[in-house]
Amino acid sequence: MGNSQPTRTKCTAGGPLCSGENNTGICSSEWRAGSAWKVGRNLWSSRFPGRRPGRESQSAEQSLERGVGADTSAILFSPQVLLNETLQSLQSLMEALVLETPTWMENCLELLDRWLNSQRIHEQERAMSCAARILDFTAKMDNFKMEIEFTRLENLVMLLAKHCQDPAASIRFQSSKAVYQLYCVLLRKKKMQRKTSGLREDDGKIEVYSANIFNQNTFEIAKAFAEFFTQTQLTNLVLMAEEDLTDSRAKVSVASAQLMSALMEERGTDIIEVKEIVENILCLLRLQLEHNTEKETLRAMCSLAGSNTHTVVPMLLKKRKAGGWRAEGLWCQAHM
């Protein structure tokens, strides 16, 4: 009995930041959701010793189990105080985890993934606020470690950049803060690496950007983060952006095109799957893309052609021979 193995639970989060299963065999998101429920139960016991939660508090228990996904309007008994104290305890717990083991910071952000992708505004806003606080705490903590890694940086940047275009002002505000704090973390890590290597620091670079600059400005987000991506991450991000060019929401499709354009302008020579990316763009241009999306996509193609001339230009020549006004327009813009 003492050697019984934990039950393996299949992950139901399914978001781009989810790491699947931890070393216990249980999905990280679901495993810690149980911990959140226990924290809420313990907080209840400390506030109401000897009293068991009644029917009127059942919705509170369910909300505590969902953590940041709790809807305060559904709690009928001692609503705001209990919920706020519980969420504050969970926030402090996550900060303590980051402080004790800084390399777990990316895992802490993964826990928020299902709520960052929620369809409910109050859940997205709360999760984004939590992400911004974790990143801010990490960027300013004294025992900052260079070992902090973002193995899925492209997914995180793409997610935050989309939310910076959200129709809800509150989510845009929190997303812009999260983007800026993430940038501060990466820049601080870069400065430590340069100092270790005996290179000169870029002391004034942090002053170039702010949360306000990143708000509804995907092009600046891509320019700021371009230097931090590996070649694989860079290529993956461009491919993800291509998938969103046909999104029915104009802001999302234009933002994806702007992100792709900025990345190709900043680091076009480092992109790996150039032929695949060009073929995808040419296929997308046959579709009826939103006007500004098409304009930014053509701009991205021009940047890619300038940095990968020997690969891209022959493909454009072949396309030009096939005819069509879009091919002619693409060829002309690529040579402007």
Side-chain angles (χ1 to χ4, degrees):
M1 295 179 63
N3 296 326
S4 60
Q5 297 296 321
T7 303
R8 185 173 296 273
T9 305
K10 185 177 180 181
C11 173
T12 58
L17 302 179
C18 183
S19 58
E21 297 177 350
N22 56 22
N23 55 11
T24 66
I26 303 174
C27 170
S28 299
S29 300
E30 296 179 350
W31 182 67
R32 288 180 173 83
S35 299
W37 182 84
K38 292 178 182 178
V39 170
R41 291 284 298 195
N42 292 338
L43 183 58
W44 176 280
S45 300
S46 65
R47 289 182 55 81
F48 307 102
R51 181 175 178 180
R52 296 182 61 186
R55 180 187 301 176
E56 56 275 274
S57 67
Q58 288 180 0
S59 59
E61 282 192 60
Q62 294 169 357
S63 295
L64 293 174
E65 185 175 357
R66 292 195 298 268
V68 295
D71 186 350
T72 57
S73 63
I75 303 177
L76 303 178
F77 184 80
S78 188
Q80 205 63 42
V81 176
L82 181 59
L83 180 63
N84 288 346
E85 290 187 7
T86 302
L87 294 177
Q88 182 60 46
S89 298
L90 294 174
Q91 181 70 48
S92 300
L93 176 61
M94 296 184 80
E95 290 178 355
L97 287 172
V98 173
L99 184 63
E100 182 178 355
T101 313
T103 54
W104 283 12
M105 200 266 288
E106 186 175 36
N107 299 83
C108 291
L109 294 175
E110 288 175 1
L111 300 180
L112 301 172
D113 184 47
R114 69 170 70 180
W115 295 292
L116 289 172
N117 289 283
S118 172
Q119 299 300 314
R120 300 175 181 176
I121 294 178
H122 74 272
E123 291 183 357
Q124 282 191 0
E125 182 180 357
R126 191 173 293 148
M128 194 61 71
S129 176
C130 187
R133 287 186 60 181
I134 292 173
L135 289 165
D136 179 59
F137 178 81
T138 303
K140 296 176 181 177
M141 67 183 183
D142 295 331
N143 67 329
F144 187 89
K145 303 291 185 183
M146 283 198 302
E147 290 78 11
I148 295 176
E149 294 289 345
F150 291 92
T151 57
R152 291 168 291 279
L153 180 61
E154 70 275 28
N155 291 338
L156 182 56
V157 171
M158 187 69 174
L159 178 65
L160 295 178
K162 282 184 180 181
H163 283 304
C164 285
Q165 301 287 337
D166 198 277
S170 58
I171 295 178
R172 290 200 307 270
F173 174 73
Q174 295 295 344
S175 302
S176 301
K177 286 172 57 179
V179 171
Y180 177 67
Q181 297 303 338
L182 176 60
Y183 176 75
C184 291
V185 171
L186 294 173
L187 192 61
R188 184 175 180 184
K189 178 180 176 180
K190 179 185 176 182
K191 287 184 176 181
M192 291 181 68
Q193 291 173 333
R194 291 177 65 86
K195 185 176 181 180
T196 303
S197 303
L199 300 175
R200 184 179 178 181
E201 297 183 15
D202 298 328
D203 296 326
K205 192 166 185 180
I206 190 67
E207 304 298 333
V208 175
Y209 294 106
S210 67
N212 289 334
I213 291 178
F214 291 141
N215 189 10
Q216 293 184 293
N217 197 336
T218 309
F219 193 83
E220 287 296 334
I221 292 175
K223 284 183 63 178
F225 285 89
E227 63 177 304
F228 301 111
F229 295 117
T230 64
Q231 284 187 290
T232 300
Q233 290 174 338
L234 180 67
T235 304
N236 289 340
L237 185 53
V238 171
L239 292 172
M240 284 191 292
E242 285 184 332
E243 293 177 0
D244 287 333
L245 293 179
T246 55
D247 195 289
S248 58
R249 296 164 296 179
K251 283 192 174 182
V252 174
S253 64
V254 173
S256 299
Q258 289 175 341
L259 186 145
M260 186 172 63
S261 176
L263 291 176
M264 292 180 179
E265 183 178 304
E266 294 291 320
R267 291 188 56 190
T269 56
D270 295 323
I271 293 176
I272 301 174
E273 303 293 339
V274 176
K275 287 186 177 181
E276 179 182 353
I277 290 171
V278 172
E279 285 291 347
N280 290 342
I281 292 177
L282 293 176
C283 290
L284 287 167
L285 288 173
R286 296 193 192 104
L287 306 176
Q288 193 65 34
L289 296 177
E290 193 274 337
H291 175 71
N292 291 324
T293 301
E294 182 178 274
K295 183 178 179 181
E296 288 293 337
T297 302
L298 288 171
R299 180 180 176 183
M301 178 67 90
C302 293
S303 297
L304 191 62
S307 56
N308 296 272
T309 306
H310 296 295
T311 302
V312 178
V313 171
M315 297 180 71
L316 295 181
L317 280 170
K318 183 178 179 180
K319 192 66 180 177
R320 188 184 182 216
K321 291 178 181 178
W325 70 269
R326 287 181 182 270
E328 289 292 339
L330 179 60
W331 175 256
C332 293
Q333 290 205 33
H335 285 75
M336 285 178 63

